[in-house]
Amino acid sequence: MKMQWMNFRRFLEAVKRINSLNKRQVSINCKTVVCSSDVELAKKNGLPIVALESTIITHGMPYPDNLKTAIQVENVVRKKGAVPATIGILNGQIHVGLNNEQLQTLAKSDSIKTIKCSRRDISTVVAQKLNGGTTVSATMIIANLLDLPIMATGGIGGVHRGAEQTFDISTDLVELGHTPVAVVCSGVKSILDIKKTLEYLETQGVPVVKIGKTDYFPAFYCTETYQKTKVPHTVSNSQEAAKILKAQRELGLQTGLLFAVSIPEEYALDSKEMELAICNALESAKSKNINGKNVTPFLLEEINKITHGQSLRANMALIENNASVAAEIAMNLAEKCSQSSLNNNASKCTLVAERNPIVIGGAIMDTTLQVKESEIKVVRC
């Protein structure tokens, strides 16, 4: 009996230690992650929120195009009825929902001093109180911490061309494999190996769903890939996409979900011309020994020069369109979840009404013992 009691006490002490660690973690998160008032209010009231990455601001476009795009993307989300939550790191603090001043700080920041921040970089950037633009992977992580189900970006990272020699594979793909956030994008950046990227996503168990009229996977600047690569699943609109996202969440599948949206045709570039521009940019990167996470920003800048600004305009158009689609999905998801909740509550009410009432109570009985003085005996030890 004594041994059982000791084991029970040890168990209680272990539980207390775990609880104290959990409380400490919540406290750390509260200090490290700061939500804007708009995001806080939206979360409190269950309003649809679209998470937005910030690497496109810090490393994807030149100033002031980056700032203009960031503001326009947020406005697009608002017009659709959702709340934008651009995620970035400023002085080591993770911000979910940036104001105009904070957007401007990131837009004007030195791309060398400001960290292009993926999963591996978050803790260092926070600890050293640096600034960071969040990639798709980092944005997914932070969005998931706050239970934000969907984000928008231009194009995800992927398997780089020549990865069989360099092993250069974006952490975006790994994140999609185990972080349950839906990503709306115009496919994979054209500079990458799109077929290998799709193979990698299949291995990771990530659903790839094309939203639109065709089943061709988009190629960022182009409506479809040069090789006309097909996707495994297609839907016609945002409403159908929201159904898939809802099912994914209800099933508790701990993977991301990739919604591919083609660039609007009026902004799309010719796939053959883009392939030539990309090959030239890749040669330039190779000759200058550009590698690692510097490759993508360098190639985007080179392609913009080669296309005389056409690629930048296309990039701006596609991210706005993706944000619009993400907002539509978020709105539809919120509506479907709200309807499900109402139906569940109505079902519960019906079940309760059909049953006989049950009364739960207790009986309390007091017992009084009276002893006569003559019956009291004093025992001396």
Side-chain angles (χ1 to χ4, degrees), residues 83-96:
V83 176
T86 303
I87 296 173
I89 305 177
L90 291 161
N91 300 318
Q93 199 163 55
I94 298 169
H95 290 268
V96 181

Side-chain angles (χ1 to χ4, degrees), residues 74-331:
E74 289 200 344
N75 288 338
V76 165
V77 173
R78 290 190 187 97
K79 283 177 184 176
K80 290 290 181 177
V83 176
T86 303
I87 296 173
I89 305 177
L90 291 161
N91 300 318
Q93 199 163 55
I94 298 169
H95 290 268
V96 181
L98 301 177
N99 59 36
N100 284 350
E101 186 181 340
Q102 291 168 329
L103 286 173
Q104 198 161 76
T105 298
L106 287 179
K108 287 183 174 180
S109 63
D110 186 338
S111 61
I112 297 174
K113 293 180 181 177
T114 302
I115 308 300
K116 183 183 175 185
C117 196
S118 63
R119 173 181 277 270
R120 71 169 185 179
D121 308 296
I122 297 173
S123 54
T124 304
V125 173
V126 168
Q128 296 182 352
K129 300 188 183 304
L130 303 173
N131 289 351
T134 56
T135 62
V136 170
S137 70
T139 304
M140 287 181 74
I141 292 166
I142 296 161
N144 188 46
L145 284 174
L146 297 173
D147 197 29
L148 307 183
I150 192 164
M151 67 161 287
T153 184
I156 63 166
V159 178
H160 280 256
R161 301 186 188 200
E164 57 272 17
Q165 277 87 38
T166 64
F167 290 92
D168 194 348
I169 300 171
S170 171
T171 188
D172 291 354
L173 304 186
V174 180
E175 209 61 57
L176 278 160
H178 59 229
T179 302
V181 173
V183 179
V184 180
C185 64
S186 290
V188 184
K189 292 181 177 72
S190 307
I191 56 178
L192 305 171
D193 190 320
I194 295 173
K195 281 193 173 182
K196 284 190 177 70
T197 298
L198 288 172
E199 287 290 344
Y200 194 97
L201 287 170
E202 182 184 353
T203 303
Q204 292 289 314
V206 179
V208 177
V209 182
K210 168 71 183 299
I211 303 175
K213 297 174 183 176
T214 73
D215 59 354
Y216 292 124
F217 191 70
F220 200 59
Y221 302 118
C222 313
T223 55
E224 58 193 40
T225 64
Y226 181 61
Q227 302 91 346
K228 294 189 180 296
T229 308
K230 292 191 174 184
V231 295
H233 306 289
T234 59
V235 293
S236 301
N237 52 51
S238 302
Q239 197 168 9
E240 291 177 23
K243 287 181 183 177
I244 295 174
L245 177 53
K246 183 172 181 286
Q248 178 94 346
R249 288 170 66 79
E250 287 176 347
L251 289 167
L253 300 175
Q254 296 301 301
T255 60
L257 180 57
L258 193 71
F259 288 120
V261 182
S262 292
I263 181 174
E265 287 191 17
E266 61 268 31
Y267 296 101
L269 304 181
D270 182 77
S271 58
K272 290 181 181 178
E273 289 179 9
M274 280 309 302
E275 185 63 23
L276 183 61
I278 289 164
C279 289
N280 290 335
L282 285 167
E283 281 298 319
S284 179
K286 188 177 179 181
S287 66
K288 293 179 181 178
N289 199 29
I290 306 294
N291 52 51
K293 63 182 180 180
N294 297 319
V295 172
T296 299
F298 175 83
L299 291 176
L300 292 176
E301 189 176 344
E302 280 295 299
I303 291 167
N304 188 42
K305 290 176 185 175
I306 294 168
T307 61
H308 305 290
Q310 282 184 302
S311 64
L312 177 59
R313 287 190 290 275
N315 198 354
M316 293 167 75
L318 65 86
I319 179 60
E320 286 180 27
N321 187 56
N322 294 344
S324 176
V325 173
E328 288 175 6
I329 295 171
M331 291 292 291

